[in-house]
Amino acid sequence: MSPLLEVKGLRRDYGPLRAVDDVSFQLEPGSILGFIGPNGAGKSTTLRILATLDAPTSGEVLLGGHSLVDTPDRVRPLIGYMPDRYGTYDDVTVFEFLDFFARAYGLTGAKRRQRVESVMGFTGLVPLADRLTTALSKGMRQRVALGRTLLHDPSLLLLDEPADGLDPRARIELRELLRALADQGKAVIISSHILTELAEICDTCAIIEQGRLLATGKVEDILRQGTGVAAVELTVRLAAGAGLEAAWARAERLLLEQPRVSRVSREGDSLRVELELEAGGGAGQVDAAAAALLAVLVTAGLPVCFFGTRERNLEDAFMTVTKGRLA
Amino acid sequence: MSAPVESSVGTVSLQERWGDRLNPLVVKEVRQGLRTRIFWASFGLNLIACVVLALVAFVQTRELSFSHHGQGYFFAFFICLAVAHYFVIPYGAYRSLAREREDDTWVLLVLTGLGPRRILRGKVASALVQAGLYASAVGPFLLFSYYLNGISLPSILTVLGLGGTWLVFLTVVAVCAATLAESRMGRAFMHFVVLGALGMAFSTALGVGGALSDSGSRLLSKYGVQLAMGVGLGVMVLDGWLLFEVAASRLSLSTEDYTKGPRRAVVAQMLVALLVGLGFWWYEDRKHVVTEIFSICGTVHLAFVGLFLVSDVDGQARALRAGTGPLSLFRPGALRGFRLTVLLFVAWAAVWGALALVSDDLNTNSEAMRMLMMVMPAYAVLYLSLALVLGRMPRSDRFSSPASVRLLFVAAVGVAAGLPPLLAELAGFDMGDPLLNLLNPVVGIANFGTHDYSTSEPEMTWPLATFVVGVALLLAFLADRALVEREKRAHPP
């Protein structure tokens, strides 16, 4: 599938400060890209450039084959941008708010009315049509903002920190809405600090720090990236009983003697075991190593009551890739 | 959950079709405005005040066979309208746009493709629609005052005409003010400035309205008053247009041709002023003094406006570069702003200088004034160029921002105006010494315009004027090179 969005060598300088430095990535229709980075990493600047609100110092951005830098007016209708502030008006109802933006996008007559109704139906705002936007909860206002973003049926959605400050239910609902939009063929870019949330929503992710893109690709590839080896963590718990401390010590010693075990540490009532496996070995390699370790423990007569792998998450990958540097 | 899907298109009412033709902001703002307490409170109070005044007028005049209380009641009704028109409405327009910027909703508006001009037109138009509602409430009472005698219809129409223009001008100024401040502190400061300015505007409206309703017919027959009204109207229309374009420019994205509007407005202003000046000069029997007035006023105006033209950022967005040629002086960038400003100064000085040479009615001071007409634009170019050289010639960006260049201009003018007299005083010379103050933008200009009656010669000479022009051209050349160099850096290949 040809990419909808191609970002090549994007750079943005503010005087001596380089906010975005040689950022390149691609995005296909129907995919969701998570844009991860600490505060000041350049996420919002990149999104603002993609939204045509700012011009890059150098680099190229192609959206649907058209240059966003040379012909911003032409590609703007293809973009739906939701900034981190939702932006609602006082004394305006949900319907009036969406109706106003539909007018602003040039929709007229019955087409406008039906587009507004269709967006309200999609975002679940129909029961709130006559409520003032200022009287809505944060989750609902966020839906109104998403509805506004969808009014002109854009191909690319740019969402800056959309899950920030939402309660768990609203986050799950947002995730479902975004998934539905991606299924419809829209490409979505989400910037966020909440990495666990992104891992569940995104197909691909990009990690940015100090304006530079440190890693980009499918989420599972990113999870393995950074160490050169696939690191797997095991959690082992022993059943309570007489001589438990001695059993812990024995288990720790036994595990450390095994090949591929790089580190064993005690964490409360469990042992954390770190394995170093060959990169690209796949899930089978992890399973084989885990089974071998379990066999060693059981054969040694240790009372194992829990044994499981702890998978690396996006936070671990982020810390590995960025090495914890702050922008 | 399913994605939004279009259904079939239904019927559209006539009202809806008309609504589609309106600026979307007008629809939204009027809906919003009619829901606010402030509108209903001020509208209700306005109406109650007018009804009470009308009842008082009725009681006062019902026993009289002929009354002449019209002017007093007209002014009283006008005060009721003035509160809304010259304070509530412009302040509402200011707050409306200021909140768009504070809440970042203006970004969303710009992305819809409405464009800054339509957004601003919508803001101004919706304010005027609300003003129209107030006027519809007070209008019948103003008409009622005519039937109380004592005020002529031309006076009423003049007050209403000038008042209407004043309302539009104030609304545009308020909207423009809302675009000026970026930071929170700046916005708070601007808020107080706007409140103060609207207070003064309200007082001015009452002063002019009171004077015209009190002795309108007599005043309107005076040439000086007619001239002042004409100038006032011209300034309101032309500066209102310029301020509107400035506001639109400030709301534009860096990828847009944000300087075209304001620069076009400045050129149009100068052309209109030139045509008006020419007409006036001809009507006044080609008096030399007319060329002096227009030359000096135009130069001062251009110096103020030019400060903003020359201090634009370096370079322009890539989307605009392709169509930019050497003569594209309306395109963004300090280089083109500077060249346009210098060109306008040269053209202005040349036209009025030429007209001064063919003028009649010369007096002893005419030659000195001609010198002044030549050096004033030179001083302006000199200090604008100096600010650019100081701010933009170094490779460092420390003083290169638009605000820094403007501050450097003010500082350079301040130092150049204050230092030579101080040095002269310390060295025991006359504080107004012509040579020491040759480049002084205040004393120097005053010296060039002074005629020495003891020698029957101008105080300054043409070679000195030429020297000032030469220094200005040299600095202009340096500033131009600095800007060319910076533009190259701002446009990496």
Side-chain angles (χ1 to χ4, degrees):
Chain A
M1 193 182 290
S2 61
L4 175 74
L5 176 73
E6 282 181 88
V7 179
K8 298 174 191 168
L10 199 67
R11 205 183 92 202
R12 180 68 172 104
D13 296 337
Y14 293 106
L17 176 76
R18 184 154 293 178
V20 178
D21 188 6
D22 197 25
V23 166
S24 303
F25 62 89
Q26 292 187 345
L27 193 61
E28 290 172 358
S31 59
I32 304 179
L33 170 77
F35 216 45
I36 309 168
N39 287 333
K43 302 187 301 287
S44 292
T45 306
T46 308
L47 287 192
R48 281 179 63 83
I49 291 172
L50 296 182
T52 72
L53 289 171
D54 198 0
T57 307
S58 63
E60 184 59 273
V61 183
L62 297 175
L63 180 58
H66 302 293
S67 170
L68 189 138
V69 185
D70 291 328
T71 54
D73 293 341
R74 193 163 175 181
V75 297
R76 203 167 282 144
L78 303 175
I79 301 167
Y81 174 58
M82 189 167 105
D84 51 353
R85 295 176 72 182
Y86 302 145
T88 49
Y89 294 112
D90 290 344
D91 300 310
V92 169
T93 66
V94 170
F95 178 82
E96 286 168 353
F97 180 82
L98 294 173
D99 180 70
F100 161 62
F101 274 101
R103 284 172 193 270
Y105 276 116
L107 298 172
T108 54
K111 194 176 175 194
R112 180 186 73 240
R113 205 172 50 218
Q114 291 186 350
R115 182 69 195 163
V116 170
E117 282 166 4
S118 136
V119 163
M120 282 175 53
F122 173 67
T123 48
L125 290 168
V126 174
L128 305 172
D130 296 325
R131 289 264 289 274
L132 293 177
T133 53
T134 42
L136 298 175
S137 68
K138 193 162 186 177
M140 286 300 135
R141 261 186 288 155
Q142 188 250 27
R143 280 175 177 238
V144 175
L146 183 63
R148 178 198 56 72
T149 312
L150 297 173
L151 280 169
H152 60 300
D153 195 20
S155 312
L156 172 67
L157 293 174
L158 305 169
L159 313 178
D160 198 358
E161 306 278 357
D164 195 27
L166 296 186
D167 61 40
R169 171 180 286 275
R171 278 189 201 164
I172 292 166
E173 287 168 352
L174 172 69
R175 193 192 310 160
E176 288 173 5
L177 286 174
L178 294 180
R179 185 44 64 195
L181 288 167
D183 291 344
Q184 204 196 10
K186 296 189 190 305
V188 185
I189 299 183
I190 310 171
S191 85
S192 182
H193 293 104
I194 306 162
L195 307 183
T196 46
E197 186 69 31
L198 281 184
E200 290 166 16
I201 302 176
C202 303
D203 311 309
T204 54
C205 74
I207 299 178
I208 186 170
E209 192 183 43
Q210 291 177 327
R212 294 188 71 87
L213 208 57
L214 300 180
T216 178
K218 290 193 182 301
V219 172
E220 47 276 26
D221 295 338
I222 293 279
L223 291 177
R224 281 198 290 269
Q225 202 169 334
T227 58
V229 295
V232 177
E233 289 176 13
L234 301 175
T235 302
V236 180
R237 276 209 293 275
L238 301 180
L244 183 62
E245 279 307 313
W248 277 123
R250 219 173 118 215
E252 204 170 334
R253 202 173 55 243
L254 259 174
L255 287 168
L256 269 172
E257 286 168 0
Q258 302 309 310
R260 291 182 175 169
V261 173
S262 60
R263 192 160 167 246
V264 179
S265 55
R266 180 92 177 265
E267 285 185 357
D269 62 345
S270 60
L271 282 176
R272 185 174 164 187
V273 185
E274 287 179 26
L275 299 180
E276 281 191 2
L277 306 174
E278 293 303 318
Q285 188 190 194
V286 177
D287 292 345
L293 286 182
L294 180 61
V296 167
L297 293 174
V298 173
T299 309
L302 288 163
V304 178
C305 68
F306 178 86
F307 188 93
T309 55
R310 175 186 174 275
E311 287 184 8
R312 272 163 63 86
N313 60 26
L314 215 45
E315 280 177 7
D316 299 320
F318 177 73
M319 291 309 288
T320 309
V321 170
T322 62
K323 298 180 181 66
R325 286 173 301 183
L326 289 176
Chain B
M1 192 170 295
S2 62
V5 177
E6 293 296 328
S7 54
S8 64
V9 177
T11 55
V12 185
S13 67
L14 188 66
Q15 189 190 356
E16 211 166 357
R17 274 207 295 271
W18 275 103
D20 286 340
R21 290 173 186 226
L22 289 173
N23 185 314
L25 273 138
V26 176
V27 178
K28 191 223 28 150
E29 300 261 323
V30 171
R31 269 176 182 167
Q32 245 181 316
L34 295 183
R35 278 206 189 104
T36 57
R37 282 197 204 108
I38 193 156
F39 174 79
W40 289 111
S42 52
F43 188 82
L45 285 173
N46 226 314
L47 207 55
I48 291 167
C50 288
V51 169
V52 169
L53 278 170
L55 288 174
V56 171
F58 174 71
V59 170
Q60 194 181 13
T61 57
R62 68 176 167 171
E63 300 293 327
L64 302 171
S65 55
F66 180 79
S67 80
H68 52 277
H69 292 87
Q71 56 183 235
Y73 281 104
F74 174 80
F75 186 57
F77 291 128
F78 180 72
I79 291 173
C80 294
L81 189 62
V83 175
H85 273 195
Y86 310 126
F87 197 88
V88 176
I89 295 286
Y91 180 69
Y94 165 78
R95 279 304 300 152
S96 174
L97 188 59
R99 285 205 64 183
E100 298 271 11
R101 284 169 62 79
E102 286 162 21
D103 299 344
D104 276 349
T105 44
W106 74 272
V107 169
L108 307 178
L109 288 179
V110 169
L111 285 178
T112 60
L114 268 180
R117 264 186 203 77
R118 274 191 80 195
I119 295 172
L120 287 176
R121 274 205 293 269
K123 291 283 175 192
V124 174
S126 56
L128 295 181
V129 168
Q130 291 185 45
L133 290 174
Y134 283 102
S136 67
V138 182
F141 296 100
L142 288 168
L143 193 66
F144 166 70
S145 66
Y146 173 67
Y147 291 102
L148 294 173
N149 299 318
I151 185 162
S152 67
L153 204 54
S155 300
I156 292 177
L157 293 177
T158 306
V159 172
L160 294 182
L162 279 177
T165 316
W166 189 231
L167 163 72
V168 177
F169 180 68
L170 286 181
T171 308
V172 171
V173 170
V175 163
C176 183
T179 67
L180 294 180
E182 301 286 349
S183 66
R184 188 174 289 199
M185 281 291 286
R187 283 198 290 263
F189 175 72
M190 189 52 70
H191 198 156
F192 286 111
V193 169
V194 167
L195 283 174
L198 287 178
M200 284 170 60
F202 174 68
S203 311
T204 307
L206 290 195
V208 175
L212 285 173
S213 57
D214 193 36
S215 45
S217 303
R218 192 160 39 86
L219 279 177
L220 289 175
S221 61
K222 288 185 178 173
Y223 178 63
V225 174
Q226 289 171 1
L227 194 64
M229 276 173 31
V231 170
L233 273 172
V235 167
M236 278 193 274
V237 170
L238 289 176
D239 280 345
W241 178 27
L242 178 61
L243 288 174
F244 179 87
E245 293 294 350
V246 168
S249 166
R250 290 190 60 84
L251 288 179
S252 297
L253 302 172
S254 62
T255 51
E256 293 173 323
D257 190 357
Y258 59 89
T259 50
K260 187 178 170 185
R263 289 183 189 179
R264 201 169 46 184
V266 169
V267 171
Q269 262 190 344
M270 300 312 285
L271 281 174
V272 170
L274 180 66
L275 291 175
V276 170
L278 272 173
F280 194 62
W281 176 71
W282 192 260
Y283 179 75
E284 289 286 327
D285 297 329
R286 302 196 297 173
K287 278 183 184 163
H288 193 275
V289 69
V290 175
T291 64
E292 294 164 16
I293 291 169
F294 273 87
S295 170
I296 292 169
C297 291
T299 302
V300 171
H301 177 72
L302 202 51
F304 179 72
V305 173
L307 184 55
F308 292 89
L309 294 181
V310 305
S311 56
D312 193 10
V313 293
D314 296 309
Q316 56 180 334
R318 207 174 81 189
L320 302 169
R321 285 178 215 162
T324 302
L327 295 176
S328 311
L329 299 182
F330 289 174
R331 284 287 172 99
L335 176 65
R336 284 163 291 281
F338 177 69
R339 286 177 177 173
L340 177 67
T341 306
V342 172
L343 200 67
L344 285 173
F345 271 123
V346 170
W348 192 251
V351 170
W352 290 109
L355 286 175
L357 285 174
V358 296
S359 289
D360 301 327
D361 194 30
L362 301 178
N363 57 38
T364 47
N365 211 19
S366 292
E367 190 179 358
M369 289 310 288
R370 278 204 292 272
M371 242 182 262
L372 175 81
M373 287 159 65
M374 188 175 104
V375 295
M376 254 189 94
Y379 277 106
V381 170
L382 192 157
Y383 284 98
L384 287 172
S385 305
L386 183 62
L388 283 172
V389 168
L390 293 174
R392 302 249 164 117
M393 192 164 257
R395 286 191 74 83
S396 157
D397 285 321
R398 192 179 294 261
F399 298 112
S400 67
S401 70
S404 299
V405 170
R406 287 167 209 154
L407 280 176
L408 281 170
F409 173 81
V410 173
V413 168
V415 169
L419 201 59
L422 189 68
L423 289 176
E425 180 68 12
L426 291 174
F429 292 109
D430 178 19
M431 282 176 78
D433 185 81
L435 286 178
L436 260 176
N437 287 289
L438 189 59
L439 296 179
N440 187 324
V442 178
V443 182
I445 288 175
N447 284 341
F448 273 108
T450 304
H451 181 81
D452 187 350
Y453 288 94
S454 62
T455 60
S456 295
E457 295 281 332
E459 189 162 320
M460 305 295 272
T461 60
W462 282 106
L464 288 177
T466 311
F467 174 77
V468 174
V469 173
V471 173
L473 289 176
L474 179 68
L475 275 169
F477 176 74
L478 288 176
D480 190 86
R481 291 301 91 198
L483 292 175
V484 167
E485 187 56 36
R486 287 186 75 93
E487 180 148 296
K488 277 184 193 157
R489 269 191 279 153
H491 293 175

